[in-house]
Amino acid sequence: SRQSVYLSHFPDGTSTHTIAHYSQIASGNEIRHFQKGLLGDFTTLDTVLYNYSNIDVPIYVFWSRNDWVTPRDEIHKAVLPRLRTGVVRATIEVPHYNHLDFIVATDNSEHVYSVITEIIGGRE
């Protein structure tokens, strides 16, 4: 696995605000707008939820049971129910992927990009 190589530089290039936002998401169990707080208090959870019902374009959700950032339950209980009926055209599981694999896996062409190409080409 090349995972250790990619993660060895983490969080280089990541801002304090990004880490604080991830912390807010993890501790709030919901996806909210980032809230810095009046005095730089990054622990504030009194923020606005994203309004997924405003999304009106087709969505294809790629996910994996091994994703440590966005687990299956979060997708199926927190994200998908908040979307308009009919917007989600498909949920596509890539069983062996973790969160980072969706970006750096050497077989992305087979498991992700070729599926996207088929969707775009109208051959769902």
Side-chain angles (χ1 to χ4, degrees), residues 74-124:
E74 186 173 323
I75 292 169
H76 290 277
K77 293 179 181 175
V79 177
L80 295 178
R82 291 190 170 113
L83 292 165
R84 289 182 185 179
T85 303
V87 167
V88 177
R89 299 291 171 88
T91 59
I92 300 141
E93 180 183 6
V94 184
H96 59 282
Y97 271 27
N98 64 48
H99 196 76
L100 195 57
D101 286 332
F102 284 100
I103 298 169
V104 300
T106 57
D107 58 355
N108 264 342
S109 175
E110 175 186 346
H111 296 291
V112 179
Y113 301 136
S114 64
V115 178
I116 292 171
T117 302
E118 288 179 24
I119 291 167
I120 293 171
R123 300 181 302 258
E124 299 178 48

Side-chain angles (χ1 to χ4, degrees), residues 17 20 24 34-47:
H17 286 145
Q24 286 179 355
F34 175 62
Q35 178 69 32
K36 182 177 177 184
L38 293 175
L39 302 173
D41 177 13
F42 295 117
T43 61
T44 299
L45 295 177
D46 185 22
T47 58

Side-chain angles (χ1 to χ4, degrees), residues 46-61:
D46 185 22
T47 58
V48 178
L49 284 169
Y50 282 107
N51 186 355
Y52 292 121
S53 67
N54 286 335
I55 299 171
D56 61 359
V57 296
I59 295 175
Y60 297 82
V61 179

Side-chain angles (χ1 to χ4, degrees), residues 66-79:
N66 295 334
D67 190 335
W68 66 80
V69 177
T70 313
R72 179 188 187 279
D73 287 347
E74 186 173 323
I75 292 169
H76 290 277
K77 293 179 181 175
V79 177

